[in-house]
Amino acid sequence: FHYYKEVFLSSLSESGCNQMIQGLGAQMGLTYSEEALSRIYYETGGHPYVTRQLCGMLAQARENGEDEAAPSGAIIGAQDVEQTTAAYLEQKSDYLESVWQRLSPQEQDILLTIATHHDSCSMEELMSPELGLEAKRQRRKAVSRLIEHELIEKCENKYSIRMGVLERFLQAGN
């Protein structure tokens, strides 16, 4: 194992994520509806590891017959993804916990602020008025690191969490 180096994989685009899901699914005899693919991308933000974990759980549920609503070989739908996402948070949140533990207190606070707003926040909403100039500078750096690590994204001057499962994880108890 000393010969392996851990490498961070950036998030996949939605089309790249869909290609991965469909390719791996086809090998297992699974097909996904467009709504399911869209939901998976929303929940995982295109993160390859989280996407593979979630899709593995979908395949396992189908294989074990836990998904009574769908016969073997049927198309996986958005409702299947929703149910499996809830199970993912119960059974596989160790990865999300490890991500959380690696963050600085400022980064954690920013994520919690966004999660409690249930959608997105402006930079002003992420800054407390009582913060001094240096504290605000540090907070902006923390926002930049979260963007760099693809945990949040900026759209129209608002910041949001890229992975639905991470937002749910934070809302559930951190």
Side-chain angles (χ1 to χ4, degrees), residues 5-6 17 23 27 38 46 55 61 70 95 103 106 108 110 131-132 141 147 158 168:
K5 181 181 177 188
E6 215 174 280
C17 188
Q27 293 175 19
S38 181
C55 289
Y95 177 74
L103 298 173
Q106 287 177 331
Q108 290 178 347
I110 289 165
L131 289 176
K141 281 178 124 179
I147 291 171
K158 294 269 192 168
R168 288 188 199 196

Side-chain angles (χ1 to χ4, degrees), residues 1-5:
F1 292 109
H2 296 287
Y3 299 108
Y4 295 101
K5 181 181 177 188

Side-chain angles (χ1 to χ4, degrees), residues 9 15 18 22 36 38 50 68 101 127 137 139 144 163:
L9 295 176
S15 65
N18 291 349
Q22 291 169 322
S38 181
V50 177
E68 296 95 17
Q101 293 302 322
M127 299 288 169
R137 189 178 72 72
R139 199 141 167 106
S144 294
M163 289 189 284

Side-chain angles (χ1 to χ4, degrees), residues 25-82:
Q27 293 175 19
M28 295 181 278
L30 299 173
T31 54
Y32 294 82
S33 71
E34 288 299 317
E35 295 83 14
L37 291 170
S38 181
R39 187 66 190 196
I40 291 168
Y41 189 77
Y42 167 79
E43 292 295 353
T44 67
H47 188 291
Y49 181 70
V50 177
T51 301
R52 290 199 61 162
Q53 280 191 314
L54 184 62
C55 289
M57 288 184 71
L58 279 161
Q60 190 69 44
R62 186 57 57 92
E63 186 177 296
N64 292 342
E66 294 170 16
D67 187 359
E68 296 95 17
S72 178
I75 295 174
I76 292 177
Q79 186 172 355
D80 302 314
V81 176
E82 183 65 33

